[in-house]
Amino acid sequence: MSIHLEQEVADYSDRRMRLAAAITYYADWLDRQHGIDAERTLRLADTATSLRQEKLVVAFVAEFSRGKTELINALFFADHGQRLLPSDAGRTTMCPTELFANADEAPSLCLLPIETRRRSESLAHLKRMPIEWCRIALDPADPRQLQESLKKLTETKAMTAVDAIELGLWNGEDPGERHQLHADGTVDVPAWRYAMVNYPHPLLQAGLTILDTPGLNALGAEPELTLSVIPNAHAVMFLLATDTGVTRSDLEIWQKYVHRHVHYHVAVLNKIDMLWDELKSDSEVHATIERQVEETARVLKLPRSQVFAVSAQKALTAKIRGDAALRVRSGIESLEYLLAHQVIPARRDMLYHAVNREVNALLDESRVDMATRLKRSSDELIQLTQLSGKNRELIEQTRAALQLEKDSYDATANQFRVTRKMVQAQGENLMSHLSEDTLDVILKSGREAMEESWTTRGLTSGIRDLSEQMSDRFQQATRLADGMVDALDQAYIRFHRHHNLPKMQVPRLDLGAYRNRLAALMRETGDFCKDPANLLLEKRFMIRRFYAGLAEEARKAFSLAKMEAERWLRIALDPIMTRIREHKQYLDTRLTSLHRILENMGTLHNRMAQVKTEIGKLRNDKVELAHISEQFAS
Ligand SMILES: Nc1nc2c(ncn2[C@@H]2O[C@H](COP(=O)(O)OP(=O)(O)O)[C@@H](O)[C@H]2O)c(=O)[nH]1
Ligand SMILES: [Mg+2]
C-alpha cells in the first residue's frame, strides 16, 4: 500500500478525532456556564459524535470483469501478500460488497441471500435485520481462512429461468444472455444479493468504506445502489478495460450511474498490460496506450486528466513482490496520488469547513455572552464603588431607578410571551408538514397512481405529482420558519434596544439539502420510468421494488428534514428564553443587594467583594474560551 494513501487516511482520521475532541471540550465549557446552553451543548455533542463516526466512501463501478475487485486488492489490500478479495480468472465477485471496519462487532462476512429480492423491503431495511443474513466469522490472523471465506462472494446457484427473469437476474430476450440457459431450464445466478465485510484493516479503521459492485445487471436490479449508495459515495471510480474498449453497456453504466455523480468521479482504463508488447519499443507502447486514453476521454466527454491508465493486476504483483519498476509501469501510483491528495483532502476540508462554520457561529455568541456578563458585573462594581460612603438617600434613588428599569423589562418580557406562543403554535404547524403521517399519505397516493397507470406517461406524471407534493411540504415548512425568524428577530431587537441584551441572530431553517436530495431522487425515478425495459409486464415487481427503495429514501430525507426542523425550533427559541431569564435574574440580584445595603450599609463591601470574585471567574472563563477558539482557527 502506498505510503501517501496510508498517511492521508490516517491524517484524515486524526484531524476528525482532534476536531471532535475540541468540540467536546467546548461543549464542556458551555455546560459549566450555569448550564444555560443545554441545547447547544447537545448539538455540539451530536456534531462530535457524527465526526467520530464519519466514513469516507469510495465506490468502484463498472461492467462485469473490468477489474474492479483486482484494483481494490491492488490499491488497498496488497499488504496481504495475496488477493484478499477473489478476482483471479474465472472467479469474480458476484454481488455488491461493502468493506468497512466496525470495532463494535467481531470481524465477519455477512451475506444476504439472492431470494430476498422477491420481497419488497428495501436493502436499508434488511440491513437492520441480522436474521436475514448468513454470517461467517473472519479470522484476520489466518489469511487462508480469510481468503477461503471471501470466496463465498463468487458463489452462484442454479435457478429456473422463470424465477431468474422475475428477479431481474436474466433476460432471455437478450441474444447475449440467451446462451446461459441450461438444458434443464435453469440459469446460473449469483447466490448472494449483497455482502458486508467487517474487517479490521488500518485504512478501513481510519474511516474508509469501499464499495465493490458487479456489472450492469446488478446495478439495474438493485435500486438502492442507484438511488442512495452510489450517489452518497464521496468518490466513484469507473473502470474500463483495454481489451474491450468502451462498449455499449460500459457507456450505459457511465451515463446512468456515474456521470451525474456530483462528487469525484474518474475513469480508470485498466489492463494496460495487455498492450505491453515486447516486440514494440516503450515509446510505441506508450503511444498506443495514450491513444486509447484519449479515445476514452473523448467518448466519456471527460478531460484527459480524469482518465487513468493502469494495470491493476501488475500493480498487485509489483506490490506483493516489492518490484518498484513494475509498480511504476502499472500506473497505480497516479491513482493512489489522486485518492491521497485530492479525494481525501477534499472530503476532509469540506467536513472541516462545515464543522468550523457551525462552531464559529456558536463561539461568536459565547464571546458576546461573556462580554455582556463582564460588562454587567463591572457596571455593578462601578456603581457600588460610587455608592460607598454615600448617604442612604442616594442609594434609595439608585434602587428606585433600578426598580423602574426592572418594571419596564418585565413588561417587555410579558410582551414576548405573546410572540413565544405564536412561534410555538407555528412550530407545531411546521412539524405537521414534515410528519410521517403526511409522508405516508403522499407515498400511498403515489403508489396507487403508479399501480393504476401502467404507461410511461402515467408513471411519469405520477412521479411528478409525488415530487411536487413533497417539495411543496418542504417549501411550506421553510416559509413558516421564515415567518418565525422574523418575529423572533423583532423581539431580539426590542430586548437589545431597550434593555441592552446582546444582539443575536436567529439562524434560518435551511431544508435546501433535503429538497435537493428529493429532486435528485425524482430525477433518478424519472429515468427509471422512461426506460422501456422497466415497463414490461413481467417486471412490475421491479417497479414495486424500485418504489419501495424510493419510499425508503424519501422517508430518510423527510426524517432528516424533520430532525433538522426540530433542532432548529429549539435553537431559535431556547437561546432567547435563557437570555431573557438570565437578565431578569441579574436585575433581581442587583435589586436584592441594594435592599440589603439599605437595611445594613455594611453589606455594601461584602457585595463588592462578591462581584469582584465573579469578575475574576468570568475573566478566567474568557481566557479559556479564547484558548478553545484557537483550536478551531486554522
Ligand atoms: N491482464 C489483466 N487482467 C486483469 C487486470 N485486472 C483484472 N484482470 C483480470 O480480469 C478478470 C476480472 O477481474 P475482476 O477484478 O474480478 O473484475 P470485476 O468483475 O470488475 O471485479 C480477472 O480474471 C482478472 O484477473 C489487469 O490489470 N490486467
Ligand atoms: Mg468483482
Side-chain angles (χ1 to χ4, degrees):
M1 176 194 344
S2 127
I3 293 298
H4 294 306
L5 197 51
E6 197 169 43
Q7 250 169 16
E8 284 298 325
V9 174
D11 178 54
Y12 166 69
S13 150
D14 211 48
R15 269 183 85 169
R16 261 189 309 125
M17 296 304 163
R18 271 209 312 269
L19 195 56
I23 292 175
T24 309
Y25 183 31
Y26 177 33
D28 287 346
W29 181 92
L30 268 178
D31 212 26
R32 269 180 277 130
Q33 304 305 303
H34 325 292
I36 68 157
D37 271 316
E39 194 46 52
R40 293 177 200 203
T41 316
L42 280 179
R43 198 170 100 196
L44 284 172
D46 276 356
T47 309
T49 309
S50 56
L51 258 180
R52 289 193 176 99
Q53 291 169 354
E54 155 78 24
K55 299 270 182 212
L56 182 101
V57 183
V58 182
F60 292 76
V61 179
E63 190 47 296
F64 201 63
S65 220
R66 299 294 180 262
K68 293 173 294 286
T69 308
E70 186 82 338
L71 184 61
I72 292 172
N73 278 327
L75 277 172
F76 306 107
F77 301 115
D79 52 351
H80 265 265
Q82 57 188 336
R83 288 186 175 86
L84 181 71
L85 296 171
S87 60
D88 40 351
R91 283 193 165 276
T92 190
T93 46
M94 299 296 289
C95 63
T97 305
E98 211 177 297
L99 296 137
F100 58 92
N102 174 6
D104 295 337
E105 280 167 23
S108 64
L109 163 66
C110 290
L111 298 154
L112 187 65
I114 193 78
E115 288 77 15
T116 57
R117 278 171 76 150
R118 214 180 284 280
R119 308 190 356 196
S120 61
E121 288 113 316
S122 64
L123 252 177
H125 183 81
L126 290 167
K127 277 188 187 175
R128 293 192 293 269
M129 301 172 68
I131 191 153
E132 303 292 345
W133 298 69
C134 167
R135 189 176 175 285
I136 297 162
L138 295 179
D139 181 1
D142 181 353
R144 188 167 290 278
Q145 188 263 353
L146 205 58
Q147 220 185 8
E148 275 308 308
S149 307
L150 291 173
K151 279 212 180 112
K152 287 239 161 234
L153 297 171
T154 68
E155 279 178 0
T156 55
K157 68 197 291 181
M159 185 181 267
T160 64
V162 182
D163 286 345
I165 292 171
E166 200 200 328
L167 293 187
L169 295 168
W170 184 65
N171 182 1
E173 278 161 35
D174 185 334
E177 290 185 24
R178 210 172 294 149
H179 71 276
Q180 294 167 358
L181 184 65
H182 300 309
D184 63 355
T186 64
V187 287
D188 287 337
V189 300
W192 310 106
R193 177 177 173 192
Y194 202 85
M196 293 201 285
V197 182
N198 174 16
Y199 180 72
H201 185 281
L203 282 169
L204 303 180
Q205 282 168 322
L208 184 71
T209 290
I210 297 164
L211 181 73
D212 188 9
T213 58
L216 180 63
N217 274 348
L219 287 173
E222 206 58 88
E224 270 166 281
L225 288 178
T226 328
L227 291 176
S228 140
V229 183
I230 297 173
N232 288 333
H234 301 113
V236 176
M237 306 251 157
F238 174 70
L239 271 76
L240 293 159
T242 54
D243 57 340
T244 40
V246 187
T247 68
R248 226 177 62 200
S249 60
D250 283 320
L251 208 54
E252 191 175 340
I253 295 188
W254 171 254
Q255 280 161 353
K256 268 194 184 162
Y257 305 105
V258 188
H259 189 44
R260 273 201 308 260
H261 199 274
V262 287
H263 298 291
Y264 264 99
H265 58 238
V266 295
V268 178
L269 179 63
N270 188 30
K271 309 198 188 182
I272 55 167
D273 58 290
M274 295 178 107
L275 302 174
W276 295 352
D277 183 341
E278 276 163 19
L279 297 180
K280 285 186 186 160
S281 72
D282 278 0
S283 63
E284 276 174 315
V285 170
H286 186 78
T288 313
I289 295 174
E290 189 51 33
R291 256 199 311 281
Q292 208 167 349
V293 167
E294 274 166 15
E295 176 62 9
T296 307
R298 193 185 61 76
V299 177
L300 301 183
K301 298 191 179 71
L302 266 186
R304 159 71 186 83
S305 59
Q306 297 289 89
V307 183
F308 293 79
V310 306
S311 164
Q313 198 182 62
K314 297 298 178 219
L316 184 65
T317 313
K319 285 189 183 188
I320 290 173
R321 295 203 189 129
D323 181 340
L326 184 61
R327 181 178 167 148
V328 170
R329 199 167 185 218
S330 77
I332 194 80
E333 282 176 342
S334 57
L335 212 48
E336 287 169 341
Y337 198 85
L338 172 88
L339 277 172
H341 297 294
Q342 286 188 29
V343 174
I344 295 171
R347 176 67 193 150
R348 186 185 55 208
D349 293 349
M350 211 168 91
L351 202 67
Y352 210 70
H353 287 313
V355 169
N356 267 2
R357 218 176 14 250
E358 181 184 335
V359 173
N360 278 325
L362 289 181
L363 280 170
D364 281 345
E365 285 180 13
S366 289
R367 272 184 226 112
V368 174
D369 280 340
M370 282 316 289
T372 311
R373 278 182 214 146
L374 263 169
K375 176 156 190 326
R376 278 179 193 152
S377 294
S378 56
D379 279 354
E380 187 179 357
L381 189 63
I382 291 167
Q383 196 175 55
L384 290 170
T385 318
Q386 287 165 343
L387 290 176
S388 112
K390 297 283 164 28
N391 57 22
R392 280 181 63 88
E393 204 177 320
L394 202 67
I395 300 176
E396 174 52 35
Q397 272 175 20
T398 311
R399 196 202 62 81
L402 191 64
Q403 182 67 52
L404 276 182
E405 190 183 328
K406 169 143 189 336
D407 291 345
S408 143
Y409 180 77
D410 285 347
T412 312
N414 269 335
Q415 209 185 342
F416 178 71
R417 261 188 219 157
V418 181
T419 311
R420 194 189 71 193
K421 285 223 175 80
M422 186 273 285
V423 166
Q424 274 167 340
Q426 288 196 349
E428 275 164 33
N429 189 4
L430 187 160
M431 292 315 296
S432 77
H433 283 298
L434 301 176
S435 79
E436 242 164 85
D437 291 348
T438 303
L439 180 64
D440 281 341
V441 172
I442 297 177
L443 286 175
K444 189 160 172 280
S445 74
R447 194 171 48 235
E448 278 161 9
M450 274 189 152
E451 300 263 344
E452 269 165 30
S453 60
W454 223 250
T455 60
T456 312
R457 224 184 44 176
L459 287 177
T460 324
S461 84
I463 300 275
R464 197 176 311 124
D465 241 33
L466 193 67
S467 146
E468 274 165 15
Q469 283 202 45
M470 289 203 259
S471 74
D472 187 45
R473 296 295 163 156
F474 279 12
Q475 239 149 26
Q476 289 192 37
T478 310
R479 202 172 37 75
L480 276 169
D482 284 347
M484 289 154 72
V485 171
D486 292 341
L488 289 170
D489 271 343
Q490 295 284 323
Y492 269 126
I493 289 170
R494 233 173 10 244
F495 279 106
H496 176 68
R497 281 219 189 110
H498 303 309
H499 307 287
N500 266 327
L501 257 67
K503 228 189 212 160
M504 287 190 43
Q505 194 80 50
V506 187
R508 299 254 155 203
L509 172 64
D510 184 5
L511 298 177
Y514 312 104
R515 225 181 12 237
N516 289 345
R517 178 80 196 98
L518 275 184
L521 277 177
M522 293 308 145
R523 263 199 316 276
E524 305 283 0
T525 311
D527 289 352
F528 179 87
C529 292
K530 267 186 239 143
D531 191 340
N534 291 326
L535 298 179
L536 302 173
L537 206 59
E538 67 270 25
K539 288 205 173 162
R540 279 189 183 190
F541 84 99
M542 286 238 318
I543 298 196
R544 282 195 198 108
R545 209 178 46 228
F546 188 88
Y547 196 78
L550 177 71
E552 173 93 20
E553 287 306 309
R555 210 175 282 284
K556 261 194 242 160
F558 247 72
S559 113
L560 287 174
K562 191 171 136 217
M563 255 160 57
E564 180 77 32
E566 268 168 359
R567 193 192 283 172
W568 173 82
L569 268 179
R570 286 189 305 253
I571 56 167
L573 209 50
D574 280 9
I576 190 166
M577 300 293 292
T578 47
R579 273 153 197 78
I580 290 172
R581 230 176 292 131
E582 200 193 20
H583 193 72
K584 180 174 154 51
Q585 234 169 30
Y586 156 76
L587 291 172
D588 280 342
T589 322
R590 274 189 75 180
L591 266 178
T592 319
S593 104
L594 285 174
H595 265 301
R596 284 216 191 99
I597 294 165
L598 278 168
E599 278 164 15
N600 174 2
M601 298 291 271
T603 57
L604 190 143
H605 288 280
N606 296 349
R607 179 63 192 158
M608 276 171 77
Q610 231 174 23
V611 177
K612 275 187 194 152
T613 317
E614 265 167 37
I615 291 178
K617 198 184 150 302
L618 284 170
R619 288 229 170 92
N620 284 341
D621 286 348
K622 200 176 152 183
V623 170
E624 208 180 334
L625 184 65
H627 180 63
I628 290 170
S629 306
E630 271 168 27
Q631 299 183 17
F632 292 100
S634 77

